[in-house]
């Protein structure tokens, strides 16, 4: 597989000197990972078979005729570390007495195979040696971490005569990213999309000055149309810089290309004042989901030819799933569960969305993502005074294959994932499966996740993923996620497709009973980094609350109402329901509470539930008032943009329920951060704003890497509407480890394709954006 993305640079130098790749060949400055690569000390650091000799500064090996590829080789003996998703440069000089193709691998050891490669990170084929000593260069990015790696040149295999192959000047360098300059953009931080005429208009100035300064709002001809004084704030602890606030809310005229300016300083990026600000964002945010779809060809007519691709994971070679998908091997699961869990069946778990930059599919993350899309639709059924500019409720509003099929497109898109989640359910009357030392009936539970058993490199088009796809053990949390979303689907599809609605509700009832019978099957945190994330969760009180709530709202049945009322979260206070920093896929009580409050139902104590949502929103607003960039968060965890957006969802729902405009004002100001009103002037939604995230981590959109590691075809940049995870104050990936050391809060972001901890896409972040965009487009 990797060979597809690796060609000798010798034939491709014009691409590699392109000005778009500032870091290319920037390897000098890091140590050579190969010792004695020029054989100046003889052969220390090397082993060869048959044993070679050093002649004229080259290690030469006599390769017998008719040997197999691996029978003759030159290999390093001092191991080096290959860091997952880092970038390496390999150079060497070699020739052969008779022209021959050799083969290079970096790899770990597989003790059971006597040192054979497990999962080569560099696996070239066809390195053509001639009789003239040729320089060769390769750039590669390891898909998997390998702490004890070797570099091997396999010499045999293709020649029927005795050959002599000589090698020298071997160097292997990790990319050098330093010195690094972080582009923080303009000093005046704005929402780069702009501002609504009748909405709040706030900007943040970074300035060392502690006294108020005069600002001007200039129109597209540079004429000052409004002016005022900044409000010095002082140290913004979320970024550690001194800031002022600019409030130009009172200016309400529509126009394009406004700029804010402090006399004598650089103006802000341009922005609009427009009531159409968020009109296209819901479609583009939703378009991301179509592009993440598994099991269907992505249609050029809908998304443009550069984004078209064949169906991924429909068991067409080299894919090993997802129509026929086995469970993990017992020897694989043994490591995570400390017992050899497996199952006897295969399942068709095709469809669904790829979770993020990877191509795994996780039911717990599918749950929140599907829920937020369904909620974006459902709120249009109960909000009053809905002067919707954009109607998720309509058919034909998205560029998806199901447009104009008579069903609302948001429901169509969510159904793609719902169908997958239904398929993840353990079939009725399945043989018992191992759990905690005994075999138990898991029928009706839902497999936690399915993904590759090893990471694939970036880029990997889904239809070319060769790894084994595997089901992981069922979990209570995944089961309840399926139940909750199936209950929502049942009530929303009831009007359109009664058969599907029934299928959802039937599966939900079976799942609900299975979860109650097996309330503590947790996905362990140890089940990570073998081609997928863990999504571990050992507190499922929130998932039980959510499932019961959705089942009750859909069915009005007393058993579900009783389960809601007896749940821990029913009487929990607002700050437990809506925790500081927002909610996420493992804390679904918040989603449950929003739906119990907003969707018509007769639950006992509904007024208290509604009050808790208002209090939760008030608490977020109280935090926002301490933050000069109007964020609701005070820390910046992995995926912090979704935390901010999920807080907006709470405040915006409080507005939908109460029509109290202070919630609307707060939620709209909360949008600013995502679109550039932050320490680094970053608009995190690709294609929206001036300085937007462009090198997003994804196997589908690794254009930055494809420029560096030459390949055919060149993969596209991310589509408009794809959102990066955002600032992460504990970043952990190769580029971030190099360039974000000691960063503070909002600064902890790098727009690099390999920065999965700050720059990845994910469905649960995209769904938060889709909900908030739909809400904002109504204003
Ligand atoms: C590797 O080869 C490339 C292409 O010839 C060259 O630009 C680069 O400087 C070399 N790197 C090292 C570390 O020698
Ligand atoms: C590496 O490349 C060789 C030669 O094409 C191939 O036989 C082998 O299967 C590859 N190994 C892996 C793990 O991809
Ligand atoms: C490499 O393997 C050796 C021997 O097993 C071990 O001692 C060493 O810690 C390993 N190195 C790394 C970086 O894991
Ligand atoms: C290289 O890695 C292998 C596999 O982990 C290990 O057996 C060997 O001892 C390591 N060699 C050194 C020098 O660390
Ligand atoms: C290598 O194999 C070819 C074809 O089978 C044969 O003709 C040739 O004699 C062999 N060479 C040696 C040295 O065995
Ligand atoms: C030896 O290899 C050459 C080139 O690959 C081929 O043309 C020739 O037929 C081979 N000879 C034998 C005896 O197989
Ligand atoms: C500003 O905030 C940063 C981040 O919280 C903090 O490290 C720094 O000490 C603060 N500076 C001042 C002058 O208070
Ligand atoms: C906006 O206008 C009102 C009414 O003229 C005024 O009281 C208020 O101070 C103005 N706000 C700002 C931020 O200038
Ligand atoms: C599971 O791990 C245990 C303990 O390491 C080992 O004894 C057992 O053979 C393993 N079972 C399988 C099926 O791999
Ligand atoms: C609904 O809209 C009408 C007309 O715009 C307005 O008079 C009324 O107060 C609004 N009702 C609510 C509950 O916001
Ligand atoms: C799987 O099926 C085989 C044959 O039907 C049976 O012998 C075995 O016990 C089953 N294993 C499990 C874990 O159910
Ligand atoms: C709530 O109860 C009222 C009065 O019995 C009934 O009219 C209404 O339909 C119920 N609403 C829901 C959503 O069940
Ligand atoms: Ca439709
Ligand atoms: Ca949980």
């Amino acid at each position: 597989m990797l060979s597809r993305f690796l060609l000798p640079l010798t034939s491709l130098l014009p691409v590699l000197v392109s000005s778009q790749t500032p870091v290319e060949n920037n390897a000098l400055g890091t140590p050579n990972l190969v010792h004695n690569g020029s054989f100046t000390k003889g052969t220390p650091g090397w082993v060869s078979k048959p044993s070679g000799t050093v002649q004229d500064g080259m290690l030469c090996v006599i390769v017998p005729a008719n040997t197999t590829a691996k029978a003759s080789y030159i290999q390093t003996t001092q191991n080096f570390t290959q860091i997952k998703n880092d970038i390496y440069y390999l150079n060497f000089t070699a020739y052969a007495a008779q022209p021959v193709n050799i083969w290079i691998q970096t790899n770990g050891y597989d003790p059971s195979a006597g040192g054979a490669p497990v999962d080569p990170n560099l696996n070239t084929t066809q390195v053509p040696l001639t009789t003239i000593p040729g320089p060769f260069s390769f750039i590669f990015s390891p898909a998997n971490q390998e702490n004890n790696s070797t570099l091997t040149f396999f010499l045999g295999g293709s020649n029927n005569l005795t050959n002599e192959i000589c090698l020298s000047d071997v160097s292997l360098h990790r990319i050098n990213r330093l010195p690094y300059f972080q582009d923080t953009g303009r000093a005046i931080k704005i929402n780069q999309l702009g501002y609504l005429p009748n909405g709040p208009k706030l900007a943040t100035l970074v300035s060392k000055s502690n006294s108020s300064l005069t600002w001007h709002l200039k129109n597209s001809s540079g004429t000052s149309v409004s002016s005022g004084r900044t409000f010095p704030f002082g140290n913004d602890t979320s970024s550690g810089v001194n800031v002022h606030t600019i409030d130009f809310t009172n200016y309400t005229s529509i126009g394009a290309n406004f700029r804010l300016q402090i006399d004598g300083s650089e103006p802000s990026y341009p922005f609009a004042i427009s009531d159409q600000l968020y009109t296209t964002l819901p479609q583009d945010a939703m378009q991301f989901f179509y592009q993440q779809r598994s099991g269907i060809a992505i249609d050029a007519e809908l998304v443009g030819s550069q984004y078209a691709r064949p169906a991924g994971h429909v068991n067409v070679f080299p894919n090993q799933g997802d129509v026929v998908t086995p469970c993990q091997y017992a020897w694989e699961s043994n490591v995570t569960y400390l017992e050899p869990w497996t199952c006897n069946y295969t399942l068709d778990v095709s469809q669904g969305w790829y979770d993020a930059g990877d191509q795994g599919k996780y039911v717990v993350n599918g749950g929140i993502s599907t829920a937020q899309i369904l909620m974006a639709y459902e709120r249009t059924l109960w909000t009053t005074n809905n002067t919707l500019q954009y109607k998720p409720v309509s058919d034909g509003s998205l560029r998806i294959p199901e447009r104009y099929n008579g069903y609302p497109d948001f429901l169509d898109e969510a159904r793609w994932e719902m169908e997958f989640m239904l398929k993840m359910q353990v079939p009725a009357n399945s043989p018992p499966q191992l759990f905690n030392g005994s075999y138990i009936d898991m029928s009706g539970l839902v497999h936690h996740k399915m993904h590759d058993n090893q990471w694939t490199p970036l880029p990997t088009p889904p239809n070319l993923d060769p790894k084994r796809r595997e089901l992981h053990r069922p979990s209570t949390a995944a089961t309840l996620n399926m139940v909750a979303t199936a209950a929502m689907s049942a009530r929303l599809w009831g009007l359109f497709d009664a058969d599907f609605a029934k299928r959802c509700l039937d599966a939900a009832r079976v799942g609900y009973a299975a979860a109650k019978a097996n309330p503590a099957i947790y996905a362990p945190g140890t089940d990570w980094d073998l081609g997928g994330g863990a999504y571990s969760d050992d507190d499922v009180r929130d998932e039980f609350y959510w499932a019961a709530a959705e089942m009750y709202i859909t069915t009005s049945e007393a058993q579900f109402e009783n389960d809601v009322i007896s749940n821990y979260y029913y009487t929990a206070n607002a700050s437990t329901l809506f925790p500081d920093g927002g909610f996420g896929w493992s804390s679904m009580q918040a989603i449950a509470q929003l739906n119990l409050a907003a969707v018509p139902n007769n639950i006992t104590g509904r007024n208290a539930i509604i009050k808790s949502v208002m209090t939760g929103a008030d608490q977020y607003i109280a935090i926002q008032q301490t933050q000069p960039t109007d964020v609701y968060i005070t820390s910046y965890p992995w995926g912090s943009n979704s935390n901010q957006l999920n807080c907006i969802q709470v405040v915006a729902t409080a507005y939908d329920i109460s029509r109290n405009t202070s919630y609307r004002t707060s939620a709209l100001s909360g949008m600013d951060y995502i679109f550039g009103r932050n320490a680094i002037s970053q608009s995190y939604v690709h294609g929206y704003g001036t300085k937007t995230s462009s090198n997003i981590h994804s196997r589908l959109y690794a254009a930055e890497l494809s420029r560096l590691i030459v390949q055919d075809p060149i993969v596209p940049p991310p589509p408009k509407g794809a959102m990066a995870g955002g600032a992460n104050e504990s970043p952990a990936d190769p580029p971030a480890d190099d360039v974000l050391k000691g960063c503070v809060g909002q600064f902890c972001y790098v727009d690099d394709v390999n920065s999965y901890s700050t720059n990845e896409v994910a469905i649960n972040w995209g769904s938060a954006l889709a909900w908030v965009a739909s809400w904002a487009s109504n204003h």
Side-chain angles (χ1 to χ4, degrees), residues 215 227-228 231 247-250:
W215 56 261
S227 63
F231 300 103
D247 185 343
F248 60 110
T249 302
N250 281 355

Side-chain angles (χ1 to χ4, degrees), residues 222-522:
T223 308
S224 175
V225 292
S226 180
S227 63
R229 306 281 295 176
T230 65
F231 300 103
F233 176 90
N235 190 18
D236 178 355
T237 52
S238 75
S239 57
V241 293
N242 201 55
V243 299
H244 299 216
T245 298
I246 295 171
D247 185 343
F248 60 110
T249 302
N250 281 355
Y251 187 82
T252 57
S253 301
I254 283 169
N257 288 317
F258 288 100
R259 291 172 193 265
L260 283 167
Q261 191 166 13
I262 306 291
D263 283 335
S265 304
E266 205 177 27
S268 70
Y269 294 128
F271 59 88
I273 297 176
S274 165
D275 51 12
Q276 302 296 310
L277 214 55
Y278 296 110
T279 314
T280 63
L281 186 62
Q283 285 108 317
D284 285 329
M286 286 299 293
Q287 220 51 51
F288 165 73
F289 287 88
Y290 173 52
Q291 307 238 9
Q292 293 289 110
R293 281 195 198 182
S294 179
I296 187 173
I298 303 303
D299 185 349
E301 297 214 338
L302 297 169
V303 293
S305 55
Q306 68 171 337
Y307 293 111
R309 58 176 172 82
H313 300 103
V314 286
N315 278 92
V316 173
F317 181 84
N319 283 171
Q320 297 194 53
D322 296 348
V323 180
V324 180
T325 313
C327 286
Q328 289 178 287
Y329 292 121
W331 56 266
E332 286 174 328
S333 68
N334 202 15
V335 179
T336 6
Y337 308 123
L338 305 177
E339 60 185 1
W341 170 84
T342 189
C343 73
N344 254 6
Y345 48 79
T346 59
L347 292 182
D348 173 0
V349 292
S350 56
Q351 299 184 265
W353 301 308
Y354 298 123
D355 189 61
D358 66 327
Q359 287 156 15
K361 301 190 294 194
Y362 309 81
V363 173
V364 292
N365 210 36
I368 186 172
S369 308
T370 305
Q372 285 183 308
I373 290 174
L374 292 174
M375 289 165 92
Y377 169 80
E378 190 163 35
R379 71 173 276 279
T380 65
L381 304 182
W382 57 261
T383 47
T384 54
N385 280 15
N386 217 333
T387 54
L388 302 183
Q389 291 172 29
Y390 175 72
K391 295 181 170 56
V393 69
S394 62
D395 180 26
S397 61
L398 298 177
R399 300 182 300 276
I400 57 174
E402 301 82 9
R403 61 182 177 169
Y404 308 123
N405 65 352
Y407 304 147
D409 288 352
F410 272 50
L411 293 190
D412 288 324
E413 190 55 63
R415 181 171 176 167
W416 195 261
E417 178 76 4
M418 192 71 247
E419 295 278 11
F420 156 71
M421 292 193 283
L422 293 172
K423 291 171 177 177
M424 290 287 276
Q425 190 164 31
V426 178
N429 306 314
S430 292
Q433 297 177 26
L434 188 56
F435 180 68
N436 266 358
S438 45
Y439 282 84
I440 63 170
D441 182 8
M442 294 209 190
S443 305
L445 292 171
V446 173
H447 287 279
H448 193 67
K449 57 177 184 171
M450 68 87 51
H451 56 71
D452 296 336
N453 67 347
Q454 282 176 323
W455 295 109
T456 55
L458 270 72
T460 294
N463 59 306
L464 297 179
D465 170 9
K467 301 294 183 190
R468 188 174 197 263
R469 304 279 282 180
E470 300 175 330
L471 297 164
H472 289 238
R473 195 175 71 188
S475 72
T476 306
T479 306
L480 293 167
N481 271 268
M482 183 281 280
V483 170
T485 47
M488 294 176 78
S489 296
R491 70 173 177 262
L492 296 173
W493 277 97
L495 291 172
F496 303 103
D497 182 342
D499 290 346
F500 180 59
K502 180 174 186 311
R503 188 148 64 82
C504 287
L505 193 56
D506 289 350
R509 287 185 189 280
V510 171
Y512 194 81
K516 287 187 78 168
N518 299 282
I521 302 184
Y522 303 131

